[in-house]
């Protein structure tokens, strides 16, 4: 657990409306510490870029350190793990998301830096076909090893994915839309308890949080942000799984969908994702691994001959100069070179053909 003296302040700060990691960074840069934020007056907040008088007044009205301390007592009593956005133990994949939570709460055995993390989501009205797809995907993951499955503990596809993981020995995480003082739906309490030994429970909500619809939509961003890729197994034309897919796409994460018959209500959402080029079609784990570059490599893979003299365009040179021997995610590279994802992807492909760049799993690249 983070430093208890400061953790209560961070928890209280995370409860203030309008204060996410972006505004929190601005406040820390100006105020110097989290404690100073709770002592500052309106005149101080007006000087912080992006905060202003309206948000400053909201901070003054909603900063409740006593609630943070009460939550700290709950965390200590039930031995709940916490990860602050600035801590080394914060999930690296989630930290790259613009709306990552300030504080993350977890219980169980969770390896944030697992090799391959995949979100499996879908309708609450799962069909036998959808449940079979979940079982086949997870069974194949168990054979390969190194996988973690993330979902939302809801009825339908979510619970089917979690149950398949428990059956086949794959680590699985459930992201909750409430605090760790309850389980919703209550019928999944036994399932959640079993997951603690083979994964765990994750949330950014404090205890005593009411079960509200908007919290489930907020929960979906963490499901997408924790994963390298999101698979939509079944969905109607509207649903939370499609929201998760959209969020994953906004994070520059790969999205996949399992196709179904056009007449099947709970395949229409998946078919539309594929039709609209918002998701890649997959029929099994082999397809996922092919798209992600996760296939098992031969012991002596042929090396691309690096050309001695390569003429690069100005844009190719800019991208190449931004790379190093250390791997970097493509979304981070886009920020460095100030180019859109499509442009950078095309430039990287040319550099890879010339033997100058190596493509790694999870949309990571480095110089050869």
């Amino acid at each position: 657990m983070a430093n208890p003296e400061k953790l209560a302040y961070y928890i209280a700060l995370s409860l203030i409306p309008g204060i996410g990691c972006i505004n929190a960074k601005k406040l820390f840069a100006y105020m110097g510490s989290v404690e100073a934020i709770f002592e500052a007056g309106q005149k101080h907040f007006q000087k912080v870029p992006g905060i202003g008088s309206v948000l400053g007044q909201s901070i003054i009205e909603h900063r409740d350190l006593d609630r943070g301390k009460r939550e700290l007592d709950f965390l200590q009593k039930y031995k709940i793990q916490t990860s602050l956005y600035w801590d080394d133990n914060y999930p690296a994949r989630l930290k790259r998301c613009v709306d990552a939570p300030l504080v993350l709460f977890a219980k169980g055995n969770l390896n944030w830096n697992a090799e391959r993390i995949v979100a499996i989501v879908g309708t609450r009205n799962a069909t036998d076909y959808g449940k079979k797809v979940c079982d086949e995907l997870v069974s194949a993951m168990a054979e390969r090893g190194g996988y973690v499955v993330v979902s939302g503990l809801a009825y339908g596809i979510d619970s089917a994915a979690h149950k398949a993981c428990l059956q086949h020995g794959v680590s699985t995480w459930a992201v909750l839309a409430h605090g760790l003082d309850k389980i919703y739906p209550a019928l999944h309490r036994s399932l959640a308890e079993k997951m603690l030994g083979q994964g765990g429970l994750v949330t950014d909500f404090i205890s005593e949080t009411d079960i509200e619809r908007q919290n489930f939509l907020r929960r979906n961003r963490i499901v997408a942000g924790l994963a390298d890729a999101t698979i939509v197994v079944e969905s109607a034309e509207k649903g939370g799984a499609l929201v998760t897919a959209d969020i994953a796409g906004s994070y520059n994460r790969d999205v996949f969908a399992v196709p179904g018959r056009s007449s099947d209500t709970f395949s229409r959402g998946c078919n539309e994702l594929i039709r609209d080029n918002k998701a890649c079609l997959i029929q099994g784990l082999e397809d996922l691994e092919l798209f992600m570059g996760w296939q098992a490599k031969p012991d002596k893979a042929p090396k691309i001959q690096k050309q001695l003299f390569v003429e690069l365009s100005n844009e190719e040179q800019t991208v190449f100069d931004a790379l190093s021997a250390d791997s970097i995610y493509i979304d981070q590279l886009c920020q460095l070179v100030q180019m859109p994802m499509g442009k950078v992807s095309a430039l990287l492909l040319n550099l890879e053909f010339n033997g100058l760049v190596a493509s790694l799993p999870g949309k990571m690249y480095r110089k050869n």
Side-chain angles (χ1 to χ4, degrees), residues 124-179:
R124 286 173 167 78
N125 301 295
T127 67
D128 290 340
Y129 167 69
K131 295 175 183 177
K132 180 183 178 186
V133 168
C134 287
D135 188 74
E136 291 175 347
L137 282 170
V138 173
S139 175
M141 290 177 181
E143 292 180 7
R144 305 288 201 282
Y147 278 92
V148 172
V149 171
V150 186
S151 199
L153 200 66
Y155 291 117
I157 294 299
D158 287 18
S159 60
H162 292 311
K163 290 175 182 177
C165 287
L166 293 176
Q167 179 182 349
H168 296 289
V170 175
S171 181
T172 183
W173 307 341
V175 183
L176 308 180
H178 47 75

Side-chain angles (χ1 to χ4, degrees), residues 247-260:
I247 295 172
S250 74
Y251 292 158
N252 294 318
R253 306 293 169 84
D254 291 285
V255 179
F256 301 91
V258 178

Side-chain angles (χ1 to χ4, degrees), residues 37-349:
I37 299 172
F38 283 77
E39 299 169 358
Q42 179 65 273
K43 64 179 181 180
H44 299 99
F45 294 121
Q46 289 178 346
K47 297 177 182 179
V48 181
I51 301 300
S53 59
V54 176
L55 187 51
Q57 187 60 37
S58 177
I59 295 172
I60 293 172
E61 293 176 357
H62 292 92
R63 54 189 181 189
D64 185 356
L65 185 56
D66 289 339
R67 182 63 185 92
K69 291 179 179 178
R70 195 163 79 250
E71 187 65 18
L72 180 59
D73 292 338
F74 170 79
L75 300 175
Q76 292 174 331
K77 179 179 180 179
Y78 293 99
K79 298 179 181 180
I80 292 172
Q81 307 159 31
T82 60
S83 299
L84 298 178
Y85 181 82
W86 297 270
D87 288 349
D88 292 336
N89 69 337
Y90 194 90
R93 294 168 175 88
L94 187 59
K95 185 176 285 190
R96 296 196 300 275
C97 303
V98 66
D99 54 354
L102 286 178
V103 188
L104 201 63
F105 308 106
K107 194 168 181 62
N109 181 21
L110 301 96
N111 174 15
W112 297 128
N113 298 313
E115 183 180 358
R116 302 168 183 175
I117 304 179
V118 178
I120 297 181
V121 298
T123 178
R124 286 173 167 78
N125 301 295
T127 67
D128 290 340
Y129 167 69
K131 295 175 183 177
K132 180 183 178 186
V133 168
C134 287
D135 188 74
E136 291 175 347
L137 282 170
V138 173
S139 175
M141 290 177 181
E143 292 180 7
R144 305 288 201 282
Y147 278 92
V148 172
V149 171
V150 186
S151 199
L153 200 66
Y155 291 117
I157 294 299
D158 287 18
S159 60
H162 292 311
K163 290 175 182 177
C165 287
L166 293 176
Q167 179 182 349
H168 296 289
V170 175
S171 181
T172 183
W173 307 341
V175 183
L176 308 180
H178 47 75
L180 289 168
D181 58 331
K182 60 175 71 76
I183 293 296
Y184 181 86
L187 286 175
H188 287 169
R189 176 172 294 278
S190 175
L191 175 61
E193 290 174 350
K194 292 176 182 177
M195 290 172 60
L196 294 177
Q198 194 177 304
L201 310 177
V202 186
T203 187
D204 67 327
F205 291 97
I206 61 171
S207 61
E208 302 176 16
T209 299
D210 293 333
I211 305 296
E212 297 179 344
R213 182 179 183 276
Q214 63 267 25
N215 292 349
F216 291 90
L217 298 176
R218 175 174 152 183
R219 177 271 310 271
N220 291 349
R221 83 191 197 284
I222 297 181
V223 174
L226 286 172
D228 298 304
T230 294
I231 302 174
V232 184
V233 174
E234 284 188 308
S235 176
E237 293 175 291
K238 293 183 179 180
L242 300 185
V243 174
T244 305
D246 284 340
I247 295 172
S250 74
Y251 292 158
N252 294 318
R253 306 293 169 84
D254 291 285
V255 179
F256 301 91
V258 178
R261 294 178 299 188
S262 60
S263 58
D264 290 346
T265 300
F266 297 110
S267 286
R268 288 174 184 168
C270 293
N271 293 340
E272 288 183 5
L273 285 174
I274 296 167
R275 181 197 66 193
D276 297 338
N277 292 320
K278 293 182 177 180
C280 296
L281 184 155
I282 62 168
Q283 300 179 87
L285 189 66
E286 295 81 3
D287 295 336
L288 174 73
E289 292 183 334
L290 176 63
F291 282 113
M292 296 296 293
W294 287 347
Q295 313 101 306
K297 294 180 172 59
D299 293 337
K300 294 183 179 180
K303 293 184 177 181
I304 298 175
Q305 179 63 44
K306 184 176 180 178
Q307 298 184 31
L308 296 178
F309 303 102
V310 180
E311 291 186 7
L312 301 179
S313 67
N314 291 337
E315 290 178 332
E316 287 173 337
Q317 190 67 55
T318 298
V319 171
F320 183 72
D321 291 341
L323 293 166
S324 68
D326 296 325
S327 58
I328 183 174
Y329 287 93
I330 190 171
D331 49 350
Q332 294 174 307
L333 183 60
C334 291
Q335 294 175 359
L336 286 175
V337 300
Q338 292 297 297
M339 296 182 193
M341 178 72 67
K343 169 67 74 174
V344 173
S345 297
L347 296 172
L348 286 168
L349 183 61

